């Protein structure tokens, strides 16, 4: 596209320039060498262990919805077809569970959280996210972490549809935090002005959950 073909400013481009000026989605994370890839206290696995609250909701694709609300310019209520019609991304990331296992090089496909935020447009006062799942599970995140470069709303793992036991048809993946922050069976995303504890955070787990700082529990 030549300079004289640049489109006029839109709500999206104006907002993105504001985010850049404010450093809105900078987390301060750094790239780590291979020798520092495994966080302290973790061990590698080749399988993918299943952990949940004891129930795995049955979610029909026909009735599936994803809401984005709170401090956004545009409230979203997406059907499965509408979600699938969004730009699709692929990511390859590691995952680290607070129960001490880690798995390298997981291939995901889905919608980048940044692309979803481009539609909803976070308001300037939004600083945190509360995630709510179909099983009633909740967990909290800073908005900057929800919008991290490798964060994805995943519908596929290793080339196959995400299975129900691993959070299908769609789950969040935030690879740089402990995996309890990557809510399974995601139903709603609320943008908030201040941090608020979710399920495990109310039950003794750390409010943030950085694996490299071993922020497993509230006193860590």
């Amino acid at each position: 596209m030549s300079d004289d073909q640049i489109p006029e400013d839109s709500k999206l481009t104006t907002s993105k320039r504001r985010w850049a000026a404010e450093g809105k989605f900078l987390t301060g994370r750094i790239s780590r060498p291979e020798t520092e890839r495994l966080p302290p206290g973790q061990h590698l696995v080749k399988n993918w262990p299943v952990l949940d609250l004891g129930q795995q909701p049955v979610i029909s694709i026909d009735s599936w919805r994803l809401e984005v609300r709170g401090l956004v310019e545009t409230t979203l209520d997406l059907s499965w077809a509408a979600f699938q019609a969004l730009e699709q991304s692929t990511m390859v990331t590691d995952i680290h569970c607070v129960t001490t296992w880690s798995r390298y090089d997981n291939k995901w496909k889905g919608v980048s959280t940044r692309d979803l935020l481009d539609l909803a447009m976070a308001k300037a006062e939004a600083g945190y996210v509360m995630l709510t799942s179909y099983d009633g599970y909740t967990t909290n995140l800073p908005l900057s972490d929800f919008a991290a470069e490798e964060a994805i709303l995943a519908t596929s793992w290793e080339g196959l549809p995400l299975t129900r036991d691993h959070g299908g048809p769609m789950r969040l993946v935030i690879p740089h935090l402990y995996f309890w922050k990557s809510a399974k069976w995601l139903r709603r995303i609320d943008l908030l002005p201040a941090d608020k504890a979710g399920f495990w955070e109310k039950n003794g787990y750390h409010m943030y959950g950085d694996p490299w700082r071993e922020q497993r529990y509230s006193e860590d």
Side-chain angles (χ1 to χ4, degrees):
M1 177 180 288
S2 64
D3 289 344
D4 58 359
Q5 293 177 308
I6 295 176
E8 295 181 4
D9 277 355
S10 65
K11 185 178 178 182
L12 172 59
T13 58
T14 301
S15 182
K16 281 192 169 181
R17 274 198 290 271
R18 187 186 79 230
W19 293 344
E22 297 173 352
K24 185 80 172 180
F25 296 139
L26 297 180
T27 65
R29 292 185 298 114
I30 60 173
S31 297
R32 292 179 169 83
E34 185 68 23
T35 54
E36 299 177 15
R37 189 175 179 184
L38 189 67
Q42 297 294 109
H43 69 278
L44 286 177
V45 299
K46 292 187 177 180
N47 63 327
W48 185 2
V50 175
L51 299 170
D52 53 51
L53 297 182
Q55 59 179 340
Q56 297 176 358
V58 178
I59 306 163
S60 166
I61 294 300
D62 293 335
S63 62
W64 182 93
R65 313 290 296 191
L66 176 65
E67 295 180 40
V68 183
R69 62 190 197 183
L71 294 174
V72 293
E73 299 290 347
T74 304
T75 298
L76 303 179
D77 185 358
L78 301 172
S79 67
W80 183 253
F83 184 78
Q84 292 289 78
L86 300 180
E87 181 177 352
Q88 300 293 299
S89 298
T90 57
M91 309 279 184
V92 178
T93 72
D94 302 341
I95 52 179
H96 309 292
C97 183
V98 72
T99 59
T100 77
W101 61 263
S102 294
R103 191 181 191 281
Y104 287 168
D105 298 323
N106 299 271
K107 184 177 181 180
W108 312 99
K109 183 178 180 181
V111 175
S112 162
T113 58
R114 290 186 174 186
D115 287 336
L116 188 75
L117 286 170
D118 285 348
L119 295 177
M121 307 301 296
K123 292 184 178 180
E125 58 269 33
Y128 294 88
V129 173
M130 179 63 73
L131 308 165
T132 302
S133 300
Y134 271 90
D135 64 344
Y137 177 78
T138 57
T139 192
N140 58 304
L141 287 170
L143 178 57
S144 57
D145 292 274
F146 179 77
E149 184 176 1
E150 294 182 330
I152 189 169
L153 300 159
T155 57
S156 170
W157 177 72
E158 299 298 323
L160 295 173
L162 195 62
T163 58
R164 175 184 165 200
D165 58 341
H166 286 303
M170 187 275 281
R171 71 170 298 151
L172 178 63
V173 176
I174 305 288
H176 66 280
L177 298 179
Y178 281 126
F179 214 41
W180 91 77
K181 295 291 186 176
S182 297
K184 293 182 176 183
W185 310 297
L186 189 57
R187 171 70 179 86
R188 194 174 76 242
I189 302 164
D190 290 281
L191 274 64
L192 308 174
D195 205 4
K196 182 179 178 181
F199 176 82
W200 284 120
E201 295 78 19
K202 292 177 180 176
N203 286 277
Y205 279 67
H206 201 277
M207 285 290 283
Y208 185 64
D210 184 341
W212 285 271
R213 297 180 181 179
E214 285 202 86
Q215 292 177 337
R216 302 176 191 274
Y217 308 113
S218 57
E219 300 302 320
D220 293 341

